[in-house]
Amino acid sequence: MRTPIVAGNWKLNKTISEAVELVTALRDLVANVTDVEIVVAPTFTALSAVARALQGSNIRLSAQNIFWEDSGAFTGEISPVMLKDVGCDYVIIGHSERRQYFGETNESVNRKVKAALTHGLKPIICVGERLEDREAGKTKSVVENHVINGIDGLSAEQLLSTVIAYEPVWAIGTGITATPNEAQEVHAFIRSLLLRNYSADVTEQIRIQCGGSVKPDNAVELLTQADIDGALVGGASLEAESFAQIVKAGSG
Ligand code: PEP
C-alpha cells in the first residue's frame, strides 16, 4: 500500500512572513490527516522560517532545486548539505520550468538526484511532455527519456526514497488538466518502465504524483486512480484552504 504524497510547489511566490502565515494556517487545517504525506516547497529564503513554523507538525519541508556539489566556488547555488541543514526532507528536481528556462537536462537532473540521495534528501523528479510532444504522439517516448535518464544508476534502495511527479507541461498553470484516464495511462506506463530494472516489489512501492492544474474540484477523481499516488500542486498550494482540500482528497 503506497502512502499518497501531496506536495505544494510555491515557485517564486511568498515573502518570509507570507510563507509563515500560509503554513501556520495550513498546519491547523491538515492536523488530523495521518494517511497522506504532506510537503511544502517554499523559496530558499523562506525555508528556515517555514521549518521553524512546521516544527511538531505533520508537514514536511522541500526545496525547489538543489546543486550537486557539497560546497565550493559555485556562486548562487545551494548544496544538499545546506538543504539538510535547514530542515528539508525533500527536494523537487527537474521541474519543467527549470528544464525550460534554466537549461536543466536529464544529465543535470540525474546528478542532482544522486547528490540529494547521498545526503538523505528525497528527490521528487518531475517528468512530462510538452503540448507539441503530445500532439506528435511522443508522450511516452519523452516521459520514458525523462524517467530512465533521471533515475539512471539508482539502487533499489535509492529508488524507494524517490518520488516521480508526472506533470504534462501543457497542464501546468494553464487550468487545463489531463483527464484522470490520460494521467492514469501515463502513470501505469511509468510504473512499467521501472520494472525494466527493478523488481515488481520495489516498483509497486514507488509513488508517482500527478501534476498540472490540480485543484480541489478535480483532485478526488485524479487521486483515486490506481497508479496516481498524490499530487504536485502549484497554484492551488498558495492558499491554505485549497491546498488542504487537495490533501484531504488523497486521504481515506
Ligand atoms: C507545478 O508547477 O508543479 C504545477 C503543477 O503547477 P500548477 O498546479 O499551477 O499547474
Side-chain angles (χ1 to χ4, degrees):
M1 208 28 208
R2 299 182 290 269
T3 302
I5 173 166
V6 176
N9 173 14
W10 296 1
K11 310 192 184 189
L12 186 57
N13 294 293
K14 306 281 181 195
T15 61
I16 295 172
S17 59
E18 289 166 347
V20 169
E21 192 183 336
L22 173 52
V23 286
T24 304
L26 182 65
R27 65 177 282 170
D28 287 343
L29 291 172
V30 300
N32 294 329
V33 177
T34 53
D35 55 354
V36 177
E37 197 169 355
I38 308 163
V39 180
V40 292
T43 58
F44 287 128
T45 54
L47 284 173
S48 183
V50 169
R52 274 195 300 281
L54 290 181
Q55 264 169 23
S57 78
N58 57 346
I59 304 172
R60 305 271 77 86
L61 190 64
S62 174
Q64 299 175 17
N65 186 25
I66 190 172
F67 189 57
W68 52 76
E69 296 289 347
D70 291 359
S71 62
F74 302 102
T75 303
E77 295 297 332
I78 307 278
S79 81
V81 179
M82 292 162 184
L83 295 183
K84 275 306 273 187
D85 188 41
V86 78
C88 286
D89 288 316
Y90 283 91
V91 57
I92 298 170
I93 299 180
H95 190 280
S96 64
E97 287 150 15
R98 297 223 48 94
R99 294 180 193 257
Q100 182 176 351
Y101 304 127
F102 302 101
E104 292 243 339
T105 61
N106 287 327
E107 192 192 19
S108 62
V109 168
N110 183 249
R111 286 186 83 170
K112 291 179 176 195
V113 167
K114 286 176 172 159
L117 287 162
T118 299
H119 291 278
L121 288 160
K122 298 175 183 169
I124 298 175
I125 308 177
C126 301
V127 305
E129 82 286 2
R130 298 165 305 169
L131 183 58
E132 56 265 45
D133 300 323
R134 180 162 277 258
E135 287 175 346
K138 293 185 183 156
T139 297
K140 287 187 175 166
S141 61
V142 170
V143 169
E144 176 173 342
N145 194 22
H146 286 173
V147 171
I148 294 296
N149 290 302
I151 64 171
D152 184 48
L154 300 196
S155 66
E157 195 188 339
Q158 288 178 315
L159 191 71
L160 285 169
S161 295
T162 301
V163 176
I164 295 174
Y166 168 59
E167 304 200 297
V169 179
W170 47 271
I172 295 179
T174 59
I176 305 166
T177 336
T179 65
N181 284 345
E182 281 171 336
Q184 165 57 27
E185 189 187 345
V186 180
H187 282 236
F189 172 67
I190 292 171
R191 209 176 294 288
S192 74
L193 290 174
L194 303 179
L195 264 180
R196 283 190 199 163
N197 294 316
Y198 302 91
S199 69
D201 180 46
V202 168
T203 297
E204 273 307 305
Q205 294 181 62
I206 304 306
R207 293 176 299 175
I208 307 173
Q209 298 175 302
C210 68
S213 298
V214 178
K215 307 275 183 243
D217 59 3
N218 60 22
V220 171
E221 52 177 2
L222 286 164
L223 270 56
T224 48
Q225 297 297 311
D227 287 289
I228 298 185
D229 310 307
L232 182 56
V233 185
S237 71
L238 295 174
E239 204 264 311
E241 184 62 48
S242 58
F243 187 60
Q245 283 181 39
I246 297 171
V247 167
K248 287 173 187 168
S251 175

